[in-house]
Amino acid sequence: IEVRREVVKAYVKPLPGAQEKRAALSEVPYKDYDWSRVMGQNCENVIGYVPIPVGLAGPILLDGEEMPIPMATTEGALVASTHRGARAINQSGGCTTVVLAEGMTRAPVVTLPTLAEAAELKKYCEEHFADIKAAFESTTRFGKLLNLKVAIAGRKIFLRFRAFTGDAMGMNMVTKGVDKALAVISEKFPQMEILALSGNYCTDKKPSAINWIEGRGKSVVAEATIKKEIVESVLKTSVDRLIQLNIDKNYIGSAMAGSVGGFNAQAANVVAAIFLATGQDPAQVVESSMCLTSMTKTEDGSLLISVTMPSIEVGTVGGGTGLPAQHGCLELIGCHGASREHPGSNASKLSRVIAAGVLSAELSLMSGLVAGHLLSAHLKLNRKPAH
């Protein structure tokens, strides 16, 4: 790394502003870091690392257990706002979460010489799922193929494999299984041409209706009932005004914008912060932050708030989860590594914490918007006073 940094310094020397560029490199730290966990897995051409502040919201009472919410962010007020929402939820008895479904997907695109053959391939996949499943699962100890959805566009066939992947986020696991399954299918269809192992029907790291409808990763719902007096004393607003703004902003406003999965106030803020803190793939914030925020009034005048998130893509092994700080944040939550007793339970726990964090932040931001506190909070917590 030291040699590479010297090479970079030599490279910038003849460039305009060379002195500033050399000085800039000195601001990027590289010492006192366990690079053995990075090389060959997380990054190439390493010149250093970028420290990101980590704050802690909560703990939040989640399914009867107090859970911290570690958040890596440079956005002032985000952690404080999430913490305020968690406090209101705690004072009202906590929140409940449910993982409705789980399964990582990969969808290769293949082609055949005729439309008739394409239709025949679709029929084969439907009638011989057991054979395809056996081939897929021969490549992995934990992966279990759950279903296979086939779509045809002309002579192009998109095969959306969906599999349980234990405590791993599972993209590599599923891709290996898909590669083997395609080999078995090609024996029956020798003229089949594999155009790409990913044909964008998955869909990975892009907004899509299929993830919103079918789900990808973990499909999670979190809800809480906030007492009327807590809404007024802690959140400084009223139940009726919150419900009305949720309709005007998160439903009508998002519909006017043509949003796909964006029926919320700031889900991506929390998803991104927890992803960075726990070593997830930050590019998957795109689909993981798809969220529907719902607010209704209960018979006793309390606020029932929920977030429905169909595509939270997380793991507690692999990727960046083994890096020191990220591993530490997972340990704070109590979901680091793979669960031997209940495979997949650690990743599910992380997805529930994310949903609870989003629930807290949605409640707090919407309250701030109704009360007119958004700007003042950001000016107070997101602006360093001038000296």
Side-chain angles (χ1 to χ4, degrees):
I1 295 174
E2 289 182 347
V3 172
R4 187 175 293 112
R5 287 168 69 97
E6 291 302 318
V7 170
V8 172
K9 288 180 181 178
Y11 165 74
V12 303
K13 193 173 182 179
L15 298 178
Q19 190 58 42
E20 290 81 0
K21 289 180 171 60
R22 289 169 64 90
L25 185 61
S26 68
E27 294 292 321
V28 180
Y30 71 98
K31 295 181 179 179
D32 302 318
Y33 195 87
D34 186 1
W35 293 109
S36 64
R37 301 197 191 187
V38 175
M39 301 308 180
Q41 181 172 346
N42 297 116
C43 189
E44 301 78 40
N45 298 340
V46 174
I47 61 168
Y49 62 94
V50 177
I52 303 176
V54 178
L56 204 64
I60 186 170
L61 188 60
L62 189 162
D63 300 325
E65 181 182 3
E66 287 193 340
M67 302 295 299
I69 307 172
M71 304 171 69
T73 181
T74 57
E75 181 180 345
L78 177 59
V79 176
S81 179
T82 306
H83 184 76
R84 183 178 77 138
R87 181 158 60 92
I89 291 171
N90 290 345
Q91 292 179 2
S92 297
C95 67
T96 302
T97 63
V98 176
V99 178
L100 299 175
E102 57 183 304
M104 181 48 63
T105 63
R106 173 60 85 201
V109 54
V110 302
T111 188
L112 281 164
T114 67
L115 176 59
E117 289 174 289
E120 187 63 29
L121 188 149
K122 183 177 187 296
K123 182 179 179 183
Y124 173 84
C125 290
E126 293 167 349
E127 295 178 350
H128 295 83
F129 178 75
D131 296 333
I132 297 170
K133 177 180 172 69
F136 182 101
E137 294 178 5
S138 69
T139 65
T140 170
R141 289 184 297 162
F142 299 104
K144 303 296 179 185
L145 185 62
L146 301 174
N147 55 53
L148 174 56
K149 182 182 180 70
V150 183
I152 293 178
R155 299 175 183 179
K156 307 295 188 297
I157 308 101
F158 297 82
L159 303 99
R160 192 175 193 256
F161 292 78
R162 178 170 167 267
F164 171 77
T165 57
D167 286 304
M169 183 270 287
M171 283 302 306
N172 290 337
M173 185 188 303
V174 174
T175 301
K176 285 173 59 180
V178 166
D179 188 56
K180 181 66 173 180
L182 288 178
V184 170
I185 295 173
S186 66
E187 292 176 0
K188 302 295 181 181
F189 297 87
Q191 290 185 291
M192 181 182 79
E193 180 185 356
I194 301 172
L195 301 179
L197 277 176
S198 175
N200 277 9
Y201 192 58
C202 314
T203 296
D204 189 41
K205 302 172 184 175
K206 290 166 284 291
S208 70
I210 195 166
N211 287 351
W212 179 241
I213 297 168
E214 299 280 345
R216 190 172 193 253
K218 311 287 189 291
S219 297
V220 187
V221 178
E223 73 165 23
T225 301
I226 313 301
K227 298 174 183 177
K228 178 176 179 290
E229 56 268 28
I230 298 300
V231 171
E232 294 172 351
S233 63
V234 176
L235 301 174
K236 311 301 181 185
T237 185
S238 70
V239 172
D240 289 335
R241 293 185 69 192
L242 271 172
I243 292 171
Q244 187 58 54
L245 180 63
N246 193 61
I247 294 170
D248 294 341
K249 172 182 168 65
N250 291 338
Y251 292 173
I252 299 175
S254 296
M256 290 290 289
S259 178
V260 176
F263 298 91
N264 60 83
Q266 63 161 349
N269 256 337
V270 176
V271 174
I274 300 177
F275 267 38
L276 290 174
T278 59
Q280 309 306 308
D281 187 336
Q284 290 183 322
V285 170
V286 174
E287 59 268 40
S288 295
S289 60
M290 291 197 300
C291 171
L292 172 67
T293 298
S294 174
M295 295 185 189
T296 54
K297 193 175 184 177
T298 66
E299 290 184 359
D300 67 357
S302 299
L303 174 72
L304 175 61
I305 177 173
S306 68
V307 292
T308 302
M309 306 181 69
S311 186
I312 301 179
E313 300 166 358
V314 292
T316 55
V317 294
T321 64
L323 298 175
Q326 289 83 344
H327 185 266
C329 287
L330 289 171
E331 285 185 322
L332 275 176
I333 299 172
C335 62
H336 62 286
S339 172
R340 295 183 179 181
E341 295 80 12
H342 305 286
S345 61
N346 281 348
S348 290
K349 186 176 188 178
L350 177 57
S351 72
R352 292 188 294 112
V353 169
I354 291 171
V358 170
L359 184 72
S360 302
E362 289 289 284
L363 177 62
S364 184
L365 175 58
M366 291 295 288
S367 299
L369 286 168
V370 170
H373 295 160
L374 177 66
L375 179 59
S376 61
H378 273 267
L379 289 176
K380 179 181 178 181
L381 297 172
N382 200 17
R383 292 291 186 271
K384 188 175 180 179
H387 295 291

